[in-house]
Amino acid sequence: MNEIVKTTGLTKRYKEVLSVSGLNMSVNEGRIYGFLGPNGAGKTTTLKMLLGLVRPTAGEIEIMGLPMNGKNRVEILRGVGSLIESPSFYGHLTGEENLRILQTLLDVPKHNIDKVLQIVGLDDRRGKKVSAYSLGMKQRLGLAEALLSFPRLLILDEPTNGLDPSGIQEMRELIKSLPKKYGMTVIVSSHLLSEIDRTAEDVGIITNGKMVYQGSLESLHGIDSSKSLEEIFLELTGKERGL
């Protein structure tokens, strides 16, 4: 399989705090890669470095065959959609109007707005002001923005935040459909083991900024057939934390 994302020795230090340490990440094209770890493990910092929002202290990033640097960043980001932390919008505008602004900036077809609103289940809320949206609706609109250009690579940081159980199920099924329907590769981060187990095909587990497991979800399950996935996860992350 072709690697769409590859990092080598990726490191980020904030003064005395080592947030990410020597991370080697490999994401195969056309797959759903679950990026799993406890809160504060370094997931969001890593994703921000992939998007060029945070400059690494050391290491290299390659996306779609190009090194992530000042020269290539704009070209790379044309093929990347992302939802990182809480999305921000113009509250006095409708959901559709917010998407129209981004559609103009990205120079993508207007009919993409209709498509993504249908995909995320907001077609009947397109004319409502975002200030009146619930947290879950804002999360859906953030996903619609990330999908607007139908990118080759989609990066989602805790995409089920703010959703009720039915919304979580719908989001999960939507993410799982993206590779086959639209040829997207998806990196989805979460601190919830159950979500990654139900969504991803490949998994990277990070704790204290270090990758402690990377491979297929099937192989992760097979590490020890006598143990539950939760026990395996706790064992992997506990070793790094000295537990």
Side-chain angles (χ1 to χ4, degrees):
M1 290 187 180
N2 293 328
E3 287 178 305
I4 193 168
V5 174
K6 180 180 179 180
T7 74
T8 306
L10 190 62
T11 300
K12 180 61 183 179
R13 180 182 291 276
Y14 293 101
K15 295 183 179 179
E16 301 304 315
V17 178
L18 190 60
S19 180
V20 177
S21 177
L23 200 72
N24 296 325
M25 174 187 272
S26 176
V27 180
N28 291 320
E29 190 160 16
R31 304 277 284 181
I32 299 175
Y33 182 99
F35 196 35
L36 180 65
N39 286 326
K43 300 187 300 297
T44 298
T45 299
T46 299
L47 298 184
K48 285 182 175 180
M49 286 193 284
L50 295 184
L51 293 166
L53 299 173
V54 170
R55 182 175 295 180
T57 304
E60 298 176 352
I61 301 170
E62 189 175 288
I63 298 178
M64 293 179 285
L66 295 172
M68 172 57 83
N69 54 35
K71 178 182 177 181
N72 297 322
R73 183 174 181 267
V74 172
E75 182 178 351
I76 288 171
L77 292 184
R78 286 195 186 104
V80 180
S82 64
L83 175 58
I84 303 292
E85 296 181 331
S86 299
S88 58
F89 308 103
Y90 296 103
H92 65 288
L93 300 180
T94 66
E96 182 178 4
E97 288 169 340
N98 272 273
L99 289 173
R100 192 174 297 136
I101 291 170
L102 185 59
Q103 174 259 322
T104 302
L105 291 172
L106 294 176
D107 192 26
V108 296
K110 289 182 179 179
H111 62 76
N112 282 19
I113 294 175
D114 298 326
K115 285 184 179 180
V116 296
L117 284 170
Q118 290 173 358
I119 288 170
V120 303
L122 283 179
D123 196 39
D124 60 343
R125 299 288 189 272
R126 62 193 302 154
K128 189 174 184 178
K129 288 186 178 181
V130 173
S131 58
Y133 275 21
S134 67
L135 182 59
M137 290 168 65
K138 288 178 180 177
Q139 195 74 357
R140 289 171 182 269
L141 186 60
L143 179 60
E145 288 192 337
L147 291 170
L148 193 57
S149 64
F150 287 86
R152 187 173 162 190
L153 172 65
L154 184 65
I155 298 176
L156 305 175
D157 188 19
E158 304 279 1
T160 58
N161 277 355
L163 300 180
D164 59 23
S166 63
I168 290 172
Q169 172 67 19
E170 290 172 7
M171 181 71 76
R172 185 188 304 139
E173 295 305 314
L174 169 58
I175 290 170
K176 288 166 67 175
S177 74
L178 295 175
K180 287 185 179 180
K181 279 190 175 181
Y182 306 106
M184 294 181 193
T185 303
V186 184
I187 298 175
V188 54
S189 85
S190 180
H191 65 281
L192 299 174
L193 178 61
S194 60
E195 277 308 302
I196 295 302
D197 190 29
R198 296 176 186 179
T199 306
E201 299 162 286
D202 302 315
V203 181
I205 298 177
I206 184 176
T207 187
N208 287 347
K210 296 180 181 179
M211 190 81 81
V212 294
Y213 174 85
Q214 185 167 231
S216 70
L217 184 64
E218 184 179 2
S219 296
L220 180 62
H221 276 279
I223 287 178
D224 189 335
S225 59
S226 68
K227 295 180 179 178
S228 68
L229 189 60
E230 183 177 30
E231 288 173 323
I232 294 171
F233 173 74
L234 290 172
E235 189 172 285
L236 287 168
T237 57
K239 284 178 181 178
E240 177 58 35
R241 288 180 290 171
L243 300 178

